[in-house]
Amino acid sequence: MKNPWLIIRFQKPPVSFWLDGRLPKVLLILTLSLLLVIIISLVQGEYYIAPLEVVKTLLRLDTNSDAQFIINTLRLPRTLVALLVGVGLAIAGCIMQTITRNPLADPSIIGINAGAGLTAVLFIVIFPNLPIALLPISAFVGGLLVAGAIYLVAWQGENSVIRLVLVGIGFNFMVFAITNIIVTFGNINSVSQALVWLTGSVYGKTNAQVLILLPWIMIFMIIAWIMSKELNSLNLGENLSIGLGLPLGKVQLMLLITSVALSSASVAIAGTIGFVGLVAPHMARFLVGNTHQGLIPVTGLMGGLLVVGADVMGRWLFSPTELPCGIVTAIIGAPYFLFLLTKSR
Amino acid sequence: MRTKQRSKKTSFSLIIPFTIALLVLGLSFFGSLILGVADISLADLYDAFYNFDNSTEHLIIRTLRLPRAIVAVMVGGALAMAGCLMQGITRNPLADPGILGINSGAALAVVSASLFFRDGNLTTFALFAFLGAGISAIAVYFFASRSKQGLSPLSLTLAGAAITVFTSSLTSGILIINQRTLEEIRFWLAGAIAGRDIQLVTQILPYFIVGFILALALSRQISILSLGEETAKGLGQNTLLIKLLAMVAVILLAGASVAIAGPVGFIGLIMPHGVRLLVGNDYRWILPFSLVGGAILLLNADIIARLIIQPQEVPVGLILPILGAPFFIYLIRWKTITR
C-alpha cells in the first residue's frame, strides 16, 4: 500500500480513527516551511538583519538594541498576527466547507467576513474610545449576524447549499457597500485606519494585538479539533450523521459559531484577507485526506504559511511600496477558486 | 402562432405604459436638475436655458446638473439593457454586468491604461474599458462553461464573483503602487456620475448610441434565443452570430458606462426583472422599457445619493448594491432559480 493508515485508538474516551500515513511527514515539512517563512519575514525589510542575528535576538542572546527594537516591536508582532490570522481563517474555512458540504464555501465569499468587517469599522469609526480588546467581540457579533441571516434566508428545503453560497454573495455585496459608505464619511483619522484594514493588512500590528488575538484563536482552534469526530461524521452527509446518533442541529450550530468566531477575530485584527479559508483546507485535504483529527492541524499550518508568505511577498514584490497581504491572497486565491469551479465535475 | 397573436395584442396595449414611463423619466430628469445641495428654483431652471446670465445657479445647472443627469440617463439605460441582453442570451436570471465581473474587468483596464497614458483622454480609456469588459466576459463564460453544471446561474455567478475579486484586487494593487493614479481615480472607482463635464459626455455618446441601436436591432432575435438554444436553432436562427452580436452590444454598453461612470452594479440585474413583470417576455418591449427604466432608476438613485448625507455625497455606486442586493437575495430565495 502506498499510504499506510495510522490507526489511533483510545480506551478512554472510547474514540478511534484512521489518519493518513503521510500525516507525520506533512506536519514536519509544513512546520519547517513555516519556520523558514517566519525567519524570512523577520529578516526582510528596509533594514536588513542577518538570519543568524534574528535567531540570536529571538533567543535573547544578542543585545544589539536596534535589531532588538526592529524585531521585537515591528516585525515579530506583524509576523505573529499574520500567522494567527492565517490559522484562524483557514480552520474557519475548513469547518464551513464541511458543514455546508460545499467545496466552494469560504467565510470571505459568503459575506461572513464582510459582516465582521462592518461591525469592526463601526467600532473603529463611531466608537473610537472603547477599549480595543472589545474589537474581536464586536466583529464576532457582526459575523454571527450575517451568518444567522444567511442561515435564515437560505437554509430551507433541499439544495440549500447552493442557495447558501449565492445568498452569501448577495449579502457580501450589500454589507460591503454599507461598510464603504461608513468609510467614505467617517472621521478622517479613523477612516484611514479603517481603509488599510479593509484591504486586509498586517502592517503596523503591535504586541497588544497579538495578545488580543492569541486566546481567541487558541480556544476556538482547540474546540474545532475536539469536534473532529463530529466533523468527520458530517462528511458522510446529514442523513448518515443523524443515523449515527449525532444531534445534528446542535452540532451544526456549535461548529458554525466556532467557524464564525475564528474568522471574525481574524478579520477584526487584520481586515478582510480573502480566500485563505478556501485555499488552505483544499491543499490540506489533498495532502492528508478527510479525517479532521489530522486535517485541522494541517489546515491551520497551511493557512499560517499562506498568510505569512503573502505578507512577505507583498513587502518584497514592489518594495519599498507594500502590497497589503489581502490583495496578494486574493490575486492568488481567485484563480484557484476558478480552478476548483471547473474541476468540481 | 398563438404567441405571435398575443405579442401583437400586447404591442398596442403597451404604448400607454411606455408613454407613462417616458413621463416618469422626464420628471426624474427634471428632479435631477433641481434637487440637490444648492437650491434651484423653477425660475432659475427656466432662465438657465433661455435667459442665461452667468449667475451661480445658472452655472450649476448648465455645467454640473445637466451633464450629470445626461450621464445618469445614458449609463442607467445602458447597464439595464446590457443586463437584459445577458439574461436573454445566457438564460440566467442573475446575469448583470456588475455581478458577472464585466464592470470590474473594464475598471481594471481603465486603471492600467491610466498608468501608461498620463494624459489619456476618454476615448483612449473607453477603448481600454471595452477591451477589459470583453476579456472578463470571455473569462467568466469560459470558466463557467467548464464547471460541473455548465452555464448555470450558480456557476456563472461564482465565476463572476471570482473574476470580480481578482480584477478588483489587481486594481487596488495598482492604485497602492501608484499614488498618482489613486488621486485621480479614487472617486471614479466607487461608481459616481457627478463632475463629468459636457465634453466628456459628447465624446462617449457615440458608443452608447451604437450600443443602444445594436441592442434594439437584436431584440427580436433575443426573444427567440431566450426560448432556448435548441428552439432557436430549430427556428433557423444562427445562434452563435446572435450571441456574438449581443456580446458586442453588452461590451459597448457596459464598457462605455464604466469609462464614464466607474463600475456601477445591479441596475442590469434589477431592471429587466421589473420590466418583465410589466411587459412579459418579448424583448422588443423589454429592451426599450429597460432603457427607460434603468435611466429612471439611476437618476433617482443619484438624487438619493446627493440628498442622503448633505452636504456630502455618497457615490451612487454604493447606493445601488444596498438597493439591489436584497433583490438579488430575493431572486435566489423565492424564485427557485437554483434547481
Side-chain angles (χ1 to χ4, degrees):
Chain A
M1 245 173 97
K2 220 167 135 202
N3 299 314
W5 296 103
L6 299 172
I7 299 169
I8 315 277
R9 232 186 269 282
F10 295 108
Q11 294 296 316
K12 217 191 273 178
V15 174
S16 64
F17 49 90
W18 294 6
L19 290 176
D20 193 290
R22 285 170 294 183
L23 185 66
K25 218 187 330 175
V26 169
L27 279 176
L28 183 70
I29 292 173
L30 278 180
T31 312
L32 289 179
S33 329
L34 188 58
L35 283 176
L36 184 69
V37 180
I38 289 174
I39 300 282
I40 295 174
S41 172
L42 295 174
V43 166
Q44 185 203 28
E46 248 176 88
Y47 184 94
Y48 176 81
I49 301 172
L52 195 64
E53 200 174 351
V54 166
V55 176
K56 276 186 188 163
T57 313
L58 285 180
L59 299 174
R60 315 225 179 263
L61 297 175
D62 194 352
T63 48
N64 173 348
S65 63
D66 275 355
Q68 232 175 13
F69 172 76
I70 289 173
I71 287 183
N72 289 338
T73 59
L74 299 178
R75 291 187 195 165
L76 190 60
R78 171 181 194 150
T79 310
L80 287 178
V81 165
L83 173 65
L84 288 170
V85 162
V87 172
L89 291 173
I91 296 179
C94 180
I95 298 174
M96 196 68 81
Q97 286 170 11
T98 304
I99 331 181
T100 60
R101 307 224 313 141
N102 186 331
L104 299 174
D106 169 40
S108 73
I109 295 170
I110 64 172
I112 291 175
N113 286 359
L118 175 59
T119 40
V121 165
L122 272 176
F123 185 93
I124 297 173
V125 174
I126 306 208
F127 306 108
N129 297 325
L130 285 178
I132 198 86
L134 293 176
L135 188 59
I137 296 173
S138 74
F140 178 50
V141 172
L144 215 52
L145 283 177
V146 172
I150 294 173
Y151 185 88
L152 280 179
V153 173
W155 201 280
Q156 277 151 24
E158 70 277 25
N159 267 334
S160 40
V161 164
I162 293 169
R163 215 181 287 134
L164 179 124
V165 175
L166 287 176
V167 167
I169 290 176
F171 272 106
N172 201 21
F173 278 121
M174 185 165 54
V175 173
F176 203 69
I178 299 174
T179 311
N180 259 323
I181 288 187
I182 296 173
V183 166
T184 320
F185 297 103
N187 168 287
I188 189 68
N189 291 329
S190 31
V191 162
S192 59
Q193 194 187 341
L195 260 185
V196 172
W197 173 91
L198 264 184
T199 43
S201 164
V202 289
Y203 173 79
K205 296 301 164 201
T206 61
N207 280 313
Q209 282 159 317
V210 176
L211 290 178
I212 294 169
L213 195 55
L214 189 67
W216 273 80
I217 301 292
M218 292 302 282
I219 291 170
F220 287 99
M221 188 175 80
I222 292 168
I223 294 178
W225 193 77
I226 290 173
M227 293 189 76
S228 295
K229 200 178 107 192
E230 283 78 4
L231 283 165
N232 288 343
S233 15
L234 282 177
N235 256 338
L236 304 171
E238 295 194 353
N239 290 337
L240 216 51
S241 317
I242 295 171
L244 286 170
L246 202 69
L248 189 69
K250 224 191 272 175
V251 167
Q252 279 178 334
L253 183 68
M254 185 68 199
L255 285 168
L256 191 67
I257 290 176
T258 311
S259 172
V260 172
L262 282 168
S263 60
S264 305
S266 310
V267 170
I269 300 295
T272 40
I273 298 176
F275 288 102
V276 179
L278 179 88
V279 175
H282 277 282
M283 291 180 161
R285 230 175 256 129
F286 176 72
L287 290 175
V288 297
N290 239 330
T291 313
H292 283 79
Q293 281 88 350
L295 182 61
I296 286 184
V298 173
T299 301
L301 283 174
M302 192 64 97
L305 191 61
L306 277 174
V307 178
V308 179
D311 181 43
V312 169
M313 260 172 81
R315 272 187 278 166
W316 163 74
L317 279 176
F318 298 95
S319 64
T321 314
E322 285 193 7
L323 274 189
C325 59
I327 289 180
V328 179
T329 60
I331 292 172
I332 297 169
Y336 191 79
F337 181 86
L338 287 170
F339 164 72
L340 284 177
L341 183 69
T342 58
K343 213 189 62 155
S344 62
R345 283 177 187 275
Chain B
M1 219 40 204
R2 228 173 63 205
T3 47
K4 201 177 174 188
Q5 270 172 354
R6 204 187 58 196
S7 70
K8 242 180 198 162
K9 216 169 82 189
T10 48
S11 299
F12 289 109
S13 60
L14 283 171
I15 289 174
I16 294 168
F18 195 70
T19 318
I20 296 173
L22 284 176
L23 279 175
V24 176
L25 176 63
L27 273 178
S28 309
F29 194 88
F30 184 68
S32 175
L33 291 178
I34 60 170
L35 295 171
V37 176
D39 266 330
I40 304 286
S41 67
L42 292 180
D44 286 331
L45 186 62
Y46 180 84
D47 289 345
F49 293 102
Y50 297 102
N51 302 311
F52 183 62
D53 66 0
N54 257 329
S55 69
T56 320
E57 284 80 12
H58 292 182
L59 280 172
I60 286 176
I61 291 173
R62 287 178 69 143
T63 61
L64 296 175
R65 298 271 172 87
L66 186 65
R68 184 170 183 170
I70 294 174
V71 169
V73 171
M74 294 193 313
V75 169
L79 288 173
M81 280 179 106
C84 253
L85 290 173
M86 290 170 75
Q87 290 177 14
I89 58 175
T90 61
R91 304 188 72 202
N92 174 1
L94 301 179
D96 164 82
I99 294 168
L100 294 196
I102 292 178
N103 286 355
S104 61
L108 172 61
V110 171
V111 170
S112 321
S114 78
L115 273 181
F116 301 114
F117 302 98
R118 202 166 247 278
D119 305 309
N121 58 16
L122 196 65
T123 316
T124 325
F125 287 154
L127 292 177
F128 274 91
F130 299 140
L131 188 70
I135 293 173
S136 282
I138 291 166
V140 170
Y141 191 87
F142 173 81
F143 286 111
S145 62
R146 276 167 176 257
S147 78
K148 185 171 60 180
Q149 303 129 317
L151 286 169
S152 71
L154 174 72
S155 59
L156 274 168
T157 311
L158 290 178
I163 295 283
T164 305
V165 175
F166 182 66
T167 47
S168 49
S169 295
L170 282 177
T171 304
S172 325
I174 291 174
L175 293 178
I176 287 170
I177 297 163
N178 190 320
Q179 288 288 330
R180 181 189 63 83
T181 317
L182 177 63
E183 294 297 313
E184 288 167 14
I185 230 152
R186 195 171 46 166
F187 199 64
W188 172 82
L189 259 188
I193 57 173
R196 305 294 184 265
D197 80 54
I198 200 89
Q199 255 122 24
L200 290 182
V201 178
T202 45
Q203 266 182 48
I204 200 105
L205 195 62
Y207 300 107
F208 280 105
I209 290 175
V210 173
F212 287 145
I213 291 172
L214 183 57
L216 291 173
L218 284 168
S219 60
R220 208 179 116 77
Q221 304 297 328
I222 301 285
S223 293
I224 295 169
L225 193 57
S226 70
L227 298 172
E229 183 132 13
E230 294 305 310
T231 318
K233 273 186 184 152
L235 291 168
Q237 188 183 67
N238 183 348
T239 52
L240 187 68
L241 179 71
I242 298 301
K243 279 185 180 173
L244 275 177
L245 286 174
M247 269 329 287
V248 170
V250 166
I251 288 165
L252 277 173
L253 293 168
S257 301
V258 170
I260 195 152
V264 175
F266 282 102
I267 294 180
L269 177 78
I270 304 170
M271 222 50 238
H273 287 284
V275 168
R276 245 182 246 121
L277 283 179
L278 185 69
V279 307
N281 288 319
D282 186 346
Y283 277 80
R284 279 173 297 176
W285 280 109
I286 296 178
L287 280 162
F289 264 102
S290 291
L291 171 57
V292 176
I296 295 172
L297 179 62
L298 190 53
L299 278 169
N300 286 299
D302 181 50
I303 295 173
I304 296 175
R306 64 178 98 143
L307 292 180
I308 202 166
I309 316 182
Q310 290 192 44
Q312 281 173 304
E313 277 193 19
V314 186
V316 72
L318 296 180
I319 297 279
L320 285 161
I322 295 174
L323 299 173
F327 183 75
F328 177 83
I329 293 167
Y330 161 81
L331 282 177
I332 295 158
R333 173 64 184 83
W334 284 276
K335 288 284 169 179
T336 56
I337 283 164
T338 46
R339 275 163 294 144

